[in-house]
Amino acid sequence: MVEQEFQQKTKTLIDSLKSICANYGLGNDGNEFKIITQTFLYKFLNDKFAFEAKKLDDNIAKADKWEEALAAMSEDDLDMLQLQMGGDTARLKPQHFISYLFSQQNAPDFAKLFDDTLIDIAITNNDVFAVKTDGGAKVVLFDRISQYIADDSKRDAFCRAIINKLVEFSFERIFTQKFDFYATIFEYLIKDYNSNSGGKYAEYFTPHAVARIMAEILVPQDQRGTVRNVSCYDPSAGSGTLLMNVAHAIGENRCSIYTQDISQKSSNLLRLNLILNNLVHSIPNVIQGNTVLHPYHVESTKDGKELKRFDYIVSNPPFKLDFSDFRDELDSKENKERFFAGIPKIKPKDKDKMEIYQLFLQHIIASLKPSGKAAVVVPTGFITAQSGIDKKIREHLVKNKMLAGVVSMPSNIFATTGTNVSILFIDASNDGDVVLVDASNLGEKVKDGKNQKTVLTPAEEQKIIDVFNAKEAVDDFSVAISYDDIEAKNYSLSAASTLMSKSNMSISPQNSFPERCRPLPAT
């Protein structure tokens, strides 16, 4: 009941902030998402500080106005209190509190006071909360919000409207909630700002069904609680949906997140997602930059620098993108091992169809620990291409016995693209059978704005997860197949064609097709 109440209050707050932006001419403006997400973050950090302070000090907890009790503390006592707080709690001063700004809202130049407060919070917390670029610059928590109002005379009123909304209720009672609550809130918060309408480096919001399937297969239920001190990486992280699901499966305090993404907007949204999900300790590992050209996460060795290796990697990379402006820089001695299958050629007449996912996929394989696991969204054409880089990558995975399987998803699982997708599961230590699942006939078609998408039911999601994890062969749905049989099939990873071949074999016993598709013994 408390969760539903606060979920509604939180959504109402977000809607109110969007309404304020619209009233001041910023509705659908390019800067609206900065105002909404940063204001929401300020509110969240303020209330989290109050929650932690009250847990640590009975006098603050019992005070009619906790802010006044904190303001009355000596500087040394306040420093000691903040030292006892967890690393995911921002360091705030009494003049940073929402209640203080609310009391000062009629002061001259209120917009300047509001902006100065946010900037001071950003500076005070720069070491923990700043996102880095691949060049080493730090992207701080907050901008000067009032600068986005073109008319100087309206800035004070705009900031007053915001502070009056922020003071209306407190998040304090929901800080005991878990991932699912914050995942819902985060999705609602960014739903208008994370779409494929942003041009060349647009962000795509990965459907939760895809994220959950990835997490449940990478970290099965029977391994929950046993996995600890592991690294999780996404080289094209977006706003972090995939990583949040994997971190939740492992346990937020049992893993460290590493990311890189070329989009500054995505990196800022990812930072917010980490804060909401008790993963503040990983913010220093969030890098804004070009992973393909300048991979940031590297380690020093006696022979120089090499890619950092990770325990878990998840990714929904861009499929097709014009990278002709830096393609030649990739074709170097240093990148020969990383891009072992080759670098896609420039397509002079259709540069936007250059297969950049092939670069990300090779980078992921090169970034995996010898015992590591990965799950990557790929265009379904990748699993059957009979020549070129796609086939070379599949050959590499088979010959090095580092393939767990493939799940071919229904069409339109992403509302924003008509491309059919599959999830490629890599397991660098799998020397057993490979699971191929054809889930293309599952799901229900629904309208999502102007687009149509396919939605899986919870039971369908669970069927995919259970069959894959059990390496189970199910008629017209899945097969378990050996590496030798995949090689004999010309390295095709298509469940549908394998199932059809199996069906033909049962009709014609004399058929000499070499694959051996069979269920494993029950465990």
Side-chain angles (χ1 to χ4, degrees):
M1 195 66 182
V2 171
E3 184 174 329
Q4 289 180 341
E5 175 194 350
F6 274 86
Q7 195 167 88
Q8 187 53 52
K9 284 184 176 180
T10 305
K11 290 180 178 181
T12 299
L13 171 63
I14 294 166
D15 288 342
S16 297
L17 293 173
K18 290 181 179 179
S19 178
I20 291 169
C21 286
N23 291 338
Y24 283 85
L26 292 170
N28 298 318
D29 181 89
N31 294 309
E32 183 191 23
F33 97 94
K34 294 181 182 178
I35 295 169
I36 301 299
T37 55
Q38 291 186 49
T39 302
F40 181 88
L41 178 56
Y42 171 49
K43 169 70 172 169
F44 186 89
L45 294 179
N46 182 96
D47 293 354
K48 182 73 184 298
F49 184 95
F51 175 76
E52 296 294 339
K54 290 175 182 178
K55 276 203 311 184
L56 292 168
D57 192 309
D58 283 343
N59 291 330
I60 297 171
K62 293 173 182 176
D64 290 336
K65 295 185 177 179
W66 66 268
E67 300 95 335
E68 292 179 2
L70 263 165
M73 294 176 71
S74 69
E75 193 172 328
D76 287 345
D77 287 344
L78 187 56
D79 286 343
M80 183 58 68
L81 178 69
Q82 295 197 1
L83 284 172
Q84 295 176 66
M85 292 181 179
D88 58 350
T89 304
R91 301 296 179 251
L92 301 182
K93 306 167 188 173
Q95 64 268 29
H96 292 157
F97 300 147
I98 290 171
S99 60
Y100 176 78
L101 287 181
F102 179 75
S103 71
Q104 299 295 312
Q105 63 178 296
N106 293 319
D109 296 326
F110 178 69
K112 183 178 184 304
L113 175 62
F114 188 91
D115 287 344
D116 287 348
T117 299
L118 295 186
I119 295 301
D120 194 36
I121 293 172
I123 292 170
T124 302
N125 294 277
N126 206 31
D127 289 345
V128 175
F129 287 87
V131 168
K132 286 184 290 189
T133 68
D134 55 8
K138 289 191 172 183
V139 183
V140 297
L141 272 172
F142 300 115
D143 297 323
R144 292 187 175 274
I145 282 178
S146 73
Q147 71 178 326
Y148 301 117
I149 302 294
D151 187 341
D152 289 2
S153 67
K154 294 181 179 179
R155 289 179 178 175
D156 286 350
F158 174 70
C159 291
R160 276 196 294 269
I162 288 176
I163 209 68
N164 276 296
K165 286 298 177 188
L166 298 186
V167 83
E168 287 182 358
F169 82 101
S170 172
F171 283 128
E172 289 177 50
R173 288 174 62 204
I174 62 170
F175 287 118
T176 55
Q177 298 300 318
K178 298 297 181 184
F179 168 78
D180 291 336
F181 177 85
Y182 291 113
T184 302
I185 291 302
F186 182 75
E187 184 174 359
Y188 190 81
L189 178 66
I190 70 167
K191 65 185 176 71
D192 296 326
Y193 312 123
N194 207 39
S195 67
N196 67 331
S197 58
K200 184 173 179 181
Y201 294 111
E203 297 81 9
Y204 291 81
F205 192 90
T206 307
H208 282 298
V210 173
R212 282 190 292 265
I213 290 168
M214 281 185 170
E216 292 280 349
I217 289 174
L218 288 177
V219 192
Q221 287 290 336
D222 60 4
Q223 293 180 19
R224 303 289 167 94
T226 64
V227 178
R228 53 174 54 86
N229 298 324
V230 293
S231 55
C232 305
Y233 175 54
D234 189 337
S236 55
S239 56
T241 302
L242 296 179
L243 284 167
M244 295 308 104
N245 278 267
V246 171
H248 178 56
I250 295 169
E252 292 81 3
N253 62 340
R254 296 170 180 263
C255 64
S256 294
I257 300 295
Y258 294 81
T259 76
Q260 191 163 347
D261 196 288
I262 199 165
S263 165
Q264 184 171 314
K265 181 173 84 170
S266 286
S267 298
N268 284 330
L269 291 175
L270 173 58
R271 169 170 54 188
L272 175 56
N273 215 355
L274 291 171
I275 292 170
L276 291 179
N277 285 287
N278 294 321
L279 285 158
V280 170
H281 62 274
S282 291
I283 290 177
N285 305 327
V286 174
I287 304 301
Q288 185 254 308
N290 187 329
T291 306
V292 171
L293 183 59
H294 298 299
Y296 182 87
H297 297 293
V298 295
E299 294 178 326
S300 297
T301 68
K302 62 181 181 180
D303 299 320
K305 300 247 185 207
E306 66 177 32
L307 292 176
K308 181 176 174 64
R309 304 295 183 101
F310 300 95
D311 297 291
Y312 295 92
I313 303 178
V314 288
S315 185
N316 174 21
F319 287 175
K320 295 183 183 296
L321 195 69
D322 176 9
F323 58 92
S324 57
D325 52 348
F326 61 85
R327 193 261 177 210
D328 290 344
E329 293 181 63
L330 301 175
D331 200 0
S332 65
K333 233 183 246 186
E334 293 79 12
N335 280 322
K336 194 154 190 179
E337 187 174 346
R338 182 164 62 129
F339 300 127
F340 58 87
I343 300 169
K345 290 183 170 57
I346 294 174
K347 297 184 174 180
K349 294 182 180 179
D350 210 351
K351 292 181 179 179
D352 284 338
K353 291 191 176 178
M354 292 173 65
E355 296 89 347
I356 196 170
Y357 75 88
Q358 295 172 342
L359 296 174
F360 276 100
L361 188 47
Q362 292 178 83
H363 172 81
I364 287 165
I365 293 168
S367 300
L368 202 61
K369 283 185 178 179
S371 59
K373 297 180 179 182
V376 189
V377 180
V378 295
T380 293
F382 163 83
I383 67 177
T384 55
Q386 289 305 297
S387 61
I389 293 173
D390 285 342
K391 187 179 179 185
K392 287 180 183 177
I393 293 173
R394 299 199 314 270
E395 286 179 359
H396 178 91
L397 293 173
V398 170
K399 287 178 178 177
N400 289 279
K401 294 189 174 179
M402 54 188 307
L403 183 63
V406 172
V407 176
S408 296
M409 300 297 287
S411 60
N412 298 112
I413 196 74
F414 288 80
T416 51
T417 176
T419 304
N420 288 339
V421 305
S422 294
I423 307 173
L424 175 70
F425 289 92
I426 301 170
D427 183 345
S429 62
N430 179 37
D431 59 0
D433 281 346
V434 174
V435 188
L436 305 179
V437 176
D438 179 12
S440 60
N441 294 319
L442 301 184
E444 178 186 356
K445 305 289 185 189
V446 299
K447 290 289 286 182
D448 182 12
K450 295 179 181 178
N451 301 312
Q452 179 174 269
K453 70 176 180 181
T454 302
V455 177
L456 297 175
T457 66
E460 288 173 328
E461 285 182 35
Q462 199 59 50
K463 178 182 179 181
I464 294 169
I465 293 161
D466 290 344
V467 165
F468 194 103
N469 285 340
K471 292 192 174 185
E472 184 181 358
V474 176
D475 288 346
D476 300 321
F477 187 68
S478 66
V479 293
I481 184 170
S482 73
Y483 283 115
D484 288 343
D485 288 342
I486 294 174
E487 186 174 356
K489 281 165 45 60
N490 206 18
Y491 300 99
S492 171
L493 303 180
S494 168
S497 63
T498 304
L499 286 163
M500 188 178 297
S501 298
K502 181 183 177 186
S503 175
N504 290 340
M505 285 176 66
S506 65
I507 294 171
S508 307
Q510 72 275 18
N511 192 314
S512 60
F513 193 79
E515 70 176 358
R516 301 186 305 279
C517 304
R518 69 255 183 234
L520 294 184
T523 56

